[in-house]
Amino acid sequence: AQSVTQPDARVTVSEGASLQLRCKYSSSGTPYLFWYVQYPRQGLQLLLKYYSGDPVVQGVNGFEAEFSKSNSSFHLRKASVHWSDSAVYFCVLRDTNAYKVIFGKGTHLHVLP
Amino acid sequence: GGIITQTPKFLIGQEGQKLTLKCQQNFNHDTMYWYRQDSGKGLRLIYYSITENDLQKGDLSEGYDASREKKSSFSLTVTSAQKNEMAVFLCASSISGSETLYFGSGTRLTVL
């Protein structure tokens, strides 16, 4: 069965520190993976997506993610976080039904100023 | 660019009441979605629509109806509101299938 697991419900880091948000997936076929961000009282916005090719994909606002087939992972990274990065981050996997996606439960990132 | 507009932003209803949430998009996207967001549970799909007048049930469709009478609009009805349904309902659209989803800012439902 297809699934997405974000093991960390909450992550707290200091401004300027590096960041990694973890995502593990289970997929029966080629995984199409996304990271979305939800700022307070807003809808979700796409950060980046991976379909194939270079396993490191660049996104908006300095975020990147690395796909690993051997580890079934798609971790999100940023070299230096800003307080404005405080938000909820969702890892998302396309389902076998191409019109449906599966959301992880989200990781709430709190950046200390 | 386009925008997805959800109305109302806040909806307060009584237990047992029928409540309707509306969503409009001007992206000219074919596919539209309704998700429910509960704290700590991620997003769960209620209904989606591949094109005008099409409806497909998601994982959480029981207790809800949906309507897609125009390409630009997609409404969701809570058929009988229950107190355990207090959540944020998010509407989204995409060009087709699993392409990028564009989200509205949500309707927060409170049931008294």
Side-chain angles (χ1 to χ4, degrees):
Chain A
Q2 311 259 106
S3 67
V4 176
T5 302
Q6 294 180 248
D8 304 308
R10 299 183 71 88
V11 170
T12 300
V13 297
S14 297
E15 192 169 27
S18 63
L19 170 71
Q20 177 172 277
L21 300 182
R22 296 184 292 164
C23 173
K24 300 276 285 185
Y25 69 89
S26 174
S27 174
S28 56
T30 302
Y32 288 3
L33 292 153
F34 309 79
W35 276 98
Y36 283 83
V37 61
Q38 184 178 32
Y39 297 104
R41 294 172 296 283
Q42 295 186 28
L44 282 72
Q45 304 169 34
L46 180 72
L47 271 180
L48 47 81
K49 59 186 175 184
Y50 173 78
Y51 287 169
S52 64
D54 189 337
V56 178
V57 290
Q58 302 297 321
V60 298
N61 296 334
F63 285 94
E64 67 176 28
E66 183 166 7
F67 169 73
S68 171
K69 187 173 182 179
S70 60
N71 293 324
S72 298
S73 67
F74 189 55
H75 301 329
L76 181 70
R77 303 189 299 231
K78 187 170 184 179
S80 176
V81 295
H82 187 264
W83 65 267
S84 60
D85 293 324
S86 296
V88 182
Y89 292 79
F90 292 94
C91 184
V92 179
L93 170 69
R94 191 184 80 170
D95 201 353
T96 48
N97 174 340
Y99 286 96
K100 296 171 70 176
V101 293
I102 301 167
F103 283 82
K105 292 186 178 181
T107 297
H108 192 158
L109 174 65
H110 183 208
V111 180
L112 299 172
Chain B
I3 190 169
I4 294 184
T5 303
Q6 291 187 238
T7 55
K9 289 189 185 300
F10 300 92
L11 181 57
I12 301 174
Q14 300 291 327
E15 196 168 17
Q17 190 176 0
K18 183 176 177 180
L19 301 167
T20 297
L21 293 68
K22 294 187 183 296
C23 177
Q24 294 267 350
Q25 55 99 356
N26 63 0
F27 288 101
N28 199 34
H29 286 167
D30 287 314
T31 310
M32 295 186 74
Y33 303 80
W34 276 107
Y35 287 92
R36 174 175 159 161
Q37 183 176 22
D38 295 274
S39 179
K41 291 187 178 180
L43 275 68
R44 291 181 288 173
L45 181 64
I46 305 172
Y47 268 97
Y48 65 104
S49 168
I50 296 172
T51 188
E52 184 177 332
N53 291 320
D54 174 74
L55 290 175
Q56 306 286 337
K57 291 184 177 181
D59 304 314
L60 203 66
S61 61
E62 189 171 335
Y64 301 94
D65 286 329
S67 173
R68 181 96 183 272
E69 294 174 354
K70 293 192 300 183
K71 186 176 182 179
S72 61
S73 66
F74 193 31
S75 62
L76 180 73
T77 298
V78 181
T79 55
S80 178
Q82 303 298 314
K83 285 195 175 180
N84 63 4
E85 279 181 306
M86 293 168 63
V88 176
F89 292 82
L90 291 169
C91 176
S93 71
S94 68
I95 295 173
S96 66
S98 60
E99 291 300 314
T100 302
L101 294 170
Y102 294 84
F103 284 84
S105 57
T107 293
R108 183 174 294 275
L109 174 64
T110 301
V111 182
L112 302 176

